[in-house]
Coordinates of all heavy atoms in Angstrom, one line a residue:
M14 N 154.9 124.9 61.6 CA 154.9 125.2 63.1 C 153.5 125.0 63.7 O 152.8 125.9 63.9 CB 155.3 126.7 63.3 CG 156.8 126.9 63.0 SD 157.8 126.8 64.5 CE 159.1 127.9 64.0
P15 N 153.1 123.8 63.8 CA 151.7 123.5 64.4 C 151.5 124.0 65.8 O 150.4 124.3 66.2 CB 151.6 122.0 64.3 CG 152.9 121.4 63.9 CD 153.9 122.6 63.7
I16 N 152.6 124.0 66.6 CA 152.5 124.4 68.0 C 152.1 125.9 68.0 O 151.2 126.3 68.8 CB 153.8 124.2 68.7 CG1 154.0 122.6 68.8 CG2 153.8 124.8 70.1 CD1 155.4 122.3 69.3
L17 N 152.7 126.7 67.2 CA 152.3 128.1 67.2 C 150.9 128.3 66.8 O 150.2 129.2 67.3 CB 153.2 128.9 66.2 CG 154.5 129.4 66.8 CD1 155.4 130.1 65.7 CD2 154.3 130.4 67.9
L18 N 150.4 127.5 65.9 CA 149.0 127.6 65.4 C 148.1 127.2 66.5 O 147.1 127.9 66.8 CB 148.8 126.6 64.2 CG 147.7 127.0 63.2 CD1 148.1 128.3 62.5 CD2 147.4 125.9 62.3
L19 N 148.4 126.2 67.3 CA 147.6 125.8 68.4 C 147.5 126.9 69.5 O 146.5 127.1 70.0 CB 148.2 124.5 69.0 CG 147.7 123.2 68.5 CD1 148.4 122.0 69.0 CD2 146.2 123.0 68.8
L20 N 148.7 127.5 69.7 CA 148.8 128.6 70.7 C 147.9 129.7 70.3 O 147.1 130.3 71.1 CB 150.2 129.0 70.8 CG 150.6 129.7 72.1 CD1 150.7 128.7 73.2 CD2 151.9 130.4 71.9
L21 N 147.9 130.0 69.0 CA 147.1 131.1 68.5 C 145.6 130.8 68.6 O 144.8 131.7 69.1 CB 147.4 131.4 67.0 CG 146.7 132.6 66.3 CD1 147.4 133.9 66.8 CD2 146.8 132.5 64.8
V22 N 145.2 129.6 68.3 CA 143.8 129.2 68.5 C 143.4 129.3 70.0 O 142.3 129.8 70.3 CB 143.6 127.8 67.9 CG1 142.2 127.3 68.3 CG2 143.7 127.8 66.4
G23 N 144.3 128.9 70.8 CA 144.0 128.9 72.3 C 143.8 130.3 72.7 O 142.9 130.6 73.5
V24 N 144.7 131.2 72.3 CA 144.5 132.6 72.7 C 143.2 133.2 72.2 O 142.5 133.9 72.9 CB 145.8 133.5 72.2 CG1 145.5 134.9 72.3 CG2 147.0 133.1 72.9
L25 N 142.9 132.9 70.9 CA 141.6 133.4 70.4 C 140.4 132.9 71.1 O 139.5 133.6 71.4 CB 141.6 133.1 68.9 CG 142.4 133.9 67.9 CD1 142.3 133.3 66.5 CD2 142.0 135.4 68.0
A26 N 140.5 131.6 71.5 CA 139.4 131.0 72.3 C 139.3 131.7 73.6 O 138.2 132.0 74.1 CB 139.6 129.5 72.4
Y27 N 140.4 132.0 74.2 CA 140.4 132.6 75.5 C 139.8 134.0 75.4 O 139.0 134.4 76.3 CB 141.8 132.7 76.1 CG 142.0 133.5 77.3 CD1 141.4 133.1 78.5 CD2 142.6 134.8 77.3 CE1 141.6 133.9 79.7 CE2 142.7 135.6 78.4 CZ 142.2 135.1 79.6 OH 142.3 135.9 80.7
L28 N 140.2 134.8 74.4 CA 139.7 136.1 74.2 C 138.2 136.1 74.0 O 137.5 136.9 74.5 CB 140.4 136.8 73.1 CG 141.9 137.2 73.3 CD1 142.5 137.8 72.1 CD2 141.9 138.3 74.4
W29 N 137.7 135.1 73.2 CA 136.3 135.0 72.9 C 135.5 134.7 74.2 O 134.5 135.3 74.4 CB 136.1 133.9 71.8 CG 134.7 133.7 71.6 CD1 133.8 134.4 70.8 CD2 133.9 132.6 72.1 NE1 132.6 133.9 70.8 CE2 132.6 132.8 71.6 CE3 134.1 131.5 72.9 CZ2 131.5 131.9 71.9 CZ3 133.1 130.6 73.2 CH2 131.8 130.8 72.7
W30 N 136.1 133.8 75.0 CA 135.4 133.4 76.2 C 135.4 134.6 77.2 O 134.3 134.9 77.8 CB 136.2 132.3 76.9 CG 135.8 132.0 78.3 CD1 134.7 131.2 78.6 CD2 136.4 132.4 79.5 NE1 134.6 131.1 80.0 CE2 135.7 131.8 80.6 CE3 137.6 133.1 79.8 CZ2 136.0 132.0 81.9 CZ3 137.9 133.3 81.1 CH2 137.1 132.8 82.2
R31 N 136.4 135.4 77.2 CA 136.5 136.6 78.1 C 135.4 137.6 77.6 O 134.7 138.2 78.3 CB 137.9 137.2 78.0 CG 138.6 137.0 79.3 CD 139.9 137.8 79.4 NE 139.6 139.3 79.3 CZ 140.5 140.2 79.4 NH1 141.8 139.8 79.7 NH2 140.3 141.5 79.3
W32 N 135.4 137.8 76.2 CA 134.4 138.7 75.7 C 133.0 138.3 76.0 O 132.2 139.1 76.3 CB 134.7 138.8 74.1 CG 133.6 139.6 73.4 CD1 133.6 141.0 73.3 CD2 132.5 139.1 72.7 NE1 132.5 141.4 72.6 CE2 131.8 140.2 72.3 CE3 132.0 137.9 72.5 CZ2 130.6 140.1 71.5 CZ3 130.8 137.7 71.8 CH2 130.1 138.9 71.3
R33 N 132.7 137.0 75.9 CA 131.4 136.5 76.2 C 131.0 136.8 77.6 O 129.9 137.1 77.9 CB 131.3 135.0 75.9 CG 130.5 134.7 74.7 CD 130.2 133.2 74.6 NE 129.0 132.9 75.4 CZ 128.7 131.6 75.9 NH1 129.6 130.7 75.7 NH2 127.7 131.4 76.6
R34 N 132.0 136.6 78.5 CA 131.7 136.8 79.9 C 131.5 138.2 80.2 O 130.6 138.6 81.0 CB 133.0 136.3 80.7 CG 132.7 135.0 81.5 CD 133.8 134.7 82.4 NE 133.6 135.2 83.8 CZ 134.5 135.5 84.6 NH1 135.8 135.4 84.3 NH2 134.2 135.9 85.8
T35 N 132.2 139.1 79.6 CA 132.1 140.5 79.9 C 130.8 141.1 79.3 O 130.2 142.0 79.9 CB 133.3 141.3 79.4 OG1 133.5 141.0 78.0 CG2 134.5 141.1 80.2
T36 N 130.3 140.5 78.2 CA 129.0 141.0 77.7 C 127.9 140.6 78.6 O 126.9 141.3 78.7 CB 128.8 140.5 76.3 OG1 129.0 139.1 76.3 CG2 129.7 141.2 75.3
L37 N 128.1 139.4 79.3 CA 127.0 139.0 80.2 C 126.9 140.0 81.4 O 125.8 140.2 81.9 CB 127.3 137.6 80.7 CG 126.9 136.4 79.9 CD1 127.4 135.1 80.5 CD2 125.4 136.4 79.7
T38 N 128.0 140.5 81.8 CA 128.0 141.4 82.9 C 128.4 142.8 82.5 O 129.1 143.5 83.2 CB 129.0 140.9 84.0 OG1 130.3 140.7 83.4 CG2 128.5 139.5 84.5
R39 N 128.0 143.2 81.3 CA 128.5 144.5 80.8 C 128.1 145.7 81.6 O 128.7 146.7 81.6 CB 128.1 144.6 79.3 CG 126.6 144.8 79.1 CD 126.3 144.8 77.6 NE 124.9 145.0 77.3 CZ 124.1 143.9 77.3 NH1 124.5 142.7 77.6 NH2 122.8 144.2 77.0
A40 N 126.9 145.5 82.3 CA 126.4 146.7 83.0 C 127.1 146.9 84.4 O 127.2 148.0 84.9 CB 124.9 146.6 83.2
C41 N 127.5 145.7 84.9 CA 128.1 145.8 86.3 C 129.5 145.3 86.3 O 129.8 144.4 85.5 CB 127.2 145.0 87.2 SG 125.9 145.9 88.0
R42 N 130.3 145.8 87.2 CA 131.6 145.3 87.4 C 131.8 144.8 88.8 O 132.0 145.7 89.7 CB 132.7 146.3 87.0 CG 132.6 146.8 85.6 CD 134.0 147.3 85.1 NE 134.0 147.3 83.7 CZ 134.4 146.3 82.9 NH1 134.8 145.2 83.4 NH2 134.4 146.5 81.6
W43 N 131.5 143.6 89.0 CA 131.5 143.0 90.4 C 132.9 142.8 90.9 O 133.7 142.2 90.2 CB 130.7 141.8 90.4 CG 129.3 142.0 90.2 CD1 128.6 141.8 89.0 CD2 128.3 142.6 91.1 NE1 127.3 142.2 89.1 CE2 127.1 142.7 90.4 CE3 128.4 143.0 92.4 CZ2 125.9 143.2 91.0 CZ3 127.2 143.5 93.0 CH2 126.0 143.6 92.3
R44 N 133.2 143.3 92.0 CA 134.5 143.1 92.7 C 134.2 142.5 94.0 O 133.3 142.9 94.8 CB 135.2 144.4 92.8 CG 135.5 145.1 91.5 CD 136.8 144.6 91.0 NE 136.9 144.7 89.5 CZ 137.1 145.8 88.9 NH1 137.3 146.9 89.5 NH2 137.1 145.8 87.6
E45 N 135.1 141.5 94.4 CA 134.9 140.9 95.7 C 135.6 141.7 96.7 O 136.8 142.1 96.6 CB 135.5 139.5 95.6 CG 135.2 138.7 96.9 CD 135.7 137.3 96.8 OE1 136.5 137.0 95.9 OE2 135.3 136.5 97.7
D46 N 134.8 142.0 97.8 CA 135.4 142.7 98.9 C 135.7 141.7 100.0 O 134.8 141.3 100.8 CB 134.4 143.8 99.4 CG 135.1 144.8 100.4 OD1 136.1 144.4 101.0 OD2 134.6 145.9 100.5
R47 N 136.8 141.2 100.0 CA 137.1 140.1 100.9 C 137.1 140.5 102.4 O 136.7 139.7 103.3 CB 138.5 139.5 100.6 CG 138.5 138.6 99.4 CD 139.9 138.3 98.9 NE 139.9 137.7 97.5 CZ 139.9 136.4 97.3 NH1 140.0 135.6 98.3 NH2 139.9 136.0 96.1
R48 N 137.4 141.7 102.7 CA 137.4 142.1 104.1 C 136.0 142.1 104.7 O 135.8 141.8 105.8 CB 138.0 143.5 104.2 CG 139.6 143.5 104.3 CD 140.1 144.9 104.5 NE 139.6 145.8 103.4 CZ 139.7 147.2 103.5 NH1 140.3 147.7 104.6 NH2 139.3 147.9 102.5
R49 N 135.1 142.5 103.8 CA 133.7 142.6 104.3 C 132.9 141.4 103.9 O 131.8 141.2 104.3 CB 133.0 143.9 103.8 CG 133.6 145.1 104.4 CD 133.2 146.4 103.6 NE 131.7 146.5 103.7 CZ 131.0 147.3 102.9 NH1 131.7 148.0 101.9 NH2 129.8 147.5 103.0
G50 N 133.5 140.5 103.1 CA 132.8 139.3 102.7 C 131.6 139.5 101.7 O 130.7 138.8 101.8
I51 N 131.7 140.5 100.9 CA 130.6 140.8 100.0 C 131.1 141.1 98.6 O 132.3 141.2 98.4 CB 129.8 142.1 100.4 CG1 130.7 143.3 100.6 CG2 129.0 141.8 101.7 CD1 130.0 144.6 100.5
W52 N 130.2 141.1 97.7 CA 130.5 141.5 96.3 C 130.0 142.9 96.1 O 128.8 143.2 96.4 CB 129.9 140.5 95.3 CG 130.7 139.2 95.3 CD1 130.5 138.2 96.1 CD2 131.7 138.9 94.3 NE1 131.4 137.2 95.8 CE2 132.1 137.6 94.7 CE3 132.3 139.5 93.2 CZ2 133.1 136.9 94.0 CZ3 133.3 138.8 92.5 CH2 133.7 137.5 92.9
R53 N 130.8 143.8 95.5 CA 130.3 145.1 95.3 C 130.5 145.5 93.8 O 131.5 145.1 93.2 CB 131.2 146.1 96.1 CG 130.7 147.5 96.2 CD 131.4 148.3 97.2 NE 130.8 149.5 97.5 CZ 130.9 150.6 96.7 NH1 131.6 150.5 95.6 NH2 130.2 151.7 97.0
C54 N 129.5 146.2 93.3 CA 129.6 146.6 91.9 C 130.3 148.0 91.8 O 129.9 149.0 92.5 CB 128.2 146.8 91.3 SG 128.2 147.5 89.6
A55 N 131.4 148.0 91.1 CA 132.2 149.2 91.0 C 131.5 150.3 90.1 O 131.9 151.4 90.1 CB 133.6 148.9 90.4
F56 N 130.5 149.8 89.4 CA 129.8 150.7 88.4 C 128.7 151.5 89.1 O 128.5 152.7 89.0 CB 129.3 149.9 87.2 CG 128.8 150.8 86.1 CD1 129.7 151.5 85.3 CD2 127.4 150.9 85.9 CE1 129.2 152.3 84.3 CE2 126.9 151.7 84.9 CZ 127.8 152.4 84.1
C57 N 127.8 150.7 89.8 CA 126.6 151.4 90.3 C 126.6 151.3 91.9 O 125.7 151.9 92.5 CB 125.3 150.7 89.8 SG 125.1 149.0 90.3
G58 N 127.5 150.6 92.5 CA 127.6 150.6 93.9 C 126.8 149.6 94.6 O 126.6 149.6 95.8
A59 N 126.1 148.7 93.9 CA 125.3 147.7 94.5 C 126.1 146.7 95.2 O 127.2 146.4 94.9 CB 124.4 147.0 93.4
E60 N 125.5 146.2 96.3 CA 126.3 145.2 97.1 C 125.4 144.0 97.3 O 124.2 144.1 97.6 CB 126.6 145.8 98.5 CG 127.6 146.9 98.4 CD 127.9 147.6 99.8 OE1 127.2 147.2 100.7 OE2 128.8 148.4 99.8
V61 N 126.0 142.8 97.2 CA 125.3 141.5 97.5 C 126.2 140.7 98.4 O 127.4 140.8 98.4 CB 125.0 140.8 96.2 CG1 123.9 141.5 95.4 CG2 126.2 140.6 95.3
A62 N 125.6 139.8 99.1 CA 126.3 138.9 100.0 C 127.0 137.8 99.2 O 128.1 137.3 99.6 CB 125.4 138.4 101.1
E63 N 126.3 137.3 98.2 CA 126.8 136.2 97.4 C 126.9 136.6 96.0 O 125.9 137.2 95.5 CB 126.0 134.9 97.6 CG 126.2 134.3 99.0 CD 125.5 133.0 99.1 OE1 125.2 132.3 98.1 OE2 125.1 132.7 100.3
G64 N 127.9 136.2 95.3 CA 127.9 136.6 93.9 C 129.1 136.0 93.2 O 129.6 135.0 93.6
P65 N 129.4 136.6 92.1 CA 128.8 137.8 91.5 C 127.5 137.5 90.7 O 127.5 136.5 90.1 CB 129.9 138.4 90.6 CG 130.6 137.1 90.2 CD 130.6 136.2 91.3
P66 N 126.6 138.4 90.9 CA 125.3 138.2 90.1 C 125.6 138.5 88.6 O 126.6 139.1 88.3 CB 124.4 139.3 90.7 CG 125.1 139.8 91.8 CD 126.5 139.6 91.7
R67 N 124.7 138.1 87.8 CA 124.8 138.3 86.3 C 124.1 139.5 85.8 O 124.2 139.8 84.7 CB 124.4 137.0 85.6 CG 125.4 135.9 85.7 CD 125.0 134.8 84.7 NE 126.1 133.8 84.6 CZ 126.1 132.8 83.7 NH1 125.0 132.6 83.0 NH2 127.1 132.0 83.7
V68 N 123.3 140.1 86.7 CA 122.6 141.2 86.3 C 123.0 142.5 87.1 O 123.6 142.3 88.1 CB 121.0 141.0 86.5 CG1 120.5 140.0 85.6 CG2 120.8 140.7 88.0
C69 N 122.7 143.6 86.5 CA 123.0 144.9 87.2 C 121.9 145.2 88.1 O 120.7 145.3 87.7 CB 123.3 146.0 86.2 SG 123.9 147.5 87.0
L70 N 122.2 145.4 89.4 CA 121.1 145.6 90.4 C 120.5 147.0 90.2 O 119.4 147.3 90.7 CB 121.7 145.5 91.8 CG 122.1 144.1 92.2 CD1 122.5 144.0 93.6 CD2 121.0 143.1 91.9
K71 N 121.2 147.9 89.5 CA 120.6 149.2 89.4 C 119.3 149.2 88.5 O 118.5 150.0 88.5 CB 121.6 150.2 88.8 CG 121.9 149.9 87.3 CD 122.8 151.0 86.7 CE 123.0 150.6 85.2 NZ 123.7 151.6 84.5
D72 N 119.3 148.1 87.6 CA 118.1 148.0 86.8 C 116.9 147.6 87.6 O 115.7 147.8 87.2 CB 118.3 146.9 85.7 CG 119.4 147.4 84.7 OD1 119.6 148.7 84.7 OD2 120.1 146.6 84.1
L73 N 117.1 146.9 88.7 CA 116.0 146.4 89.6 C 115.5 147.5 90.5 O 114.4 147.4 91.0 CB 116.5 145.2 90.4 CG 117.1 144.1 89.5 CD1 117.6 143.0 90.4 CD2 116.0 143.5 88.6
Q74 N 116.3 148.5 90.7 CA 115.9 149.6 91.6 C 115.0 150.6 90.9 O 115.2 150.8 89.7 CB 117.1 150.3 92.2 CG 117.9 149.5 93.2 CD 119.3 150.0 93.4 OE1 119.7 151.0 92.9 NE2 120.1 149.2 94.2
P75 N 114.0 151.2 91.6 CA 113.1 152.1 91.0 C 113.8 153.4 90.6 O 114.8 153.8 91.1 CB 112.1 152.4 92.0 CG 112.7 152.0 93.3 CD 113.7 150.9 93.0
Ligands
ZN97 ZN1 125.9 147.7 88.9

């Protein structure tokens, strides 16, 4: 069943890609606020006009 094997590899690659992406933004969870046209971090409450950024803005604040 080579098709099932291909499917399994595809799923694993997708999970790995998702894991890599989430580790890049592990500190922040950026959500797009379409009504206000901004990106907002659900974790620390930071807001940016364009995004999502790859860093957590709370680290940049004093
Ligand atoms: Zn944040």
Side-chain angles (χ1 to χ4, degrees):
M14 289 266 212
I16 292 172
L17 272 179
L18 206 70
L19 270 173
L20 203 72
L21 187 73
V22 170
V24 168
L25 283 175
Y27 170 72
L28 285 175
W29 175 79
W30 171 79
R31 252 189 62 172
W32 172 80
R33 251 194 85 202
R34 249 188 101 206
T35 49
T36 49
L37 277 175
T38 57
R39 64 185 181 277
C41 272
R42 298 206 165 268
W43 294 101
R44 296 277 154 74
E45 189 176 13
D46 193 335
R47 284 169 193 262
R48 275 186 305 169
R49 295 166 63 196
I51 56 158
W52 286 81
R53 191 171 192 282
C54 173
F56 188 74
C57 67
E60 294 178 350
V61 288
E63 288 184 28
R67 285 193 169 181
V68 294
C69 186
L70 294 186
K71 71 171 181 174
D72 294 338
L73 305 175
Q74 288 163 7

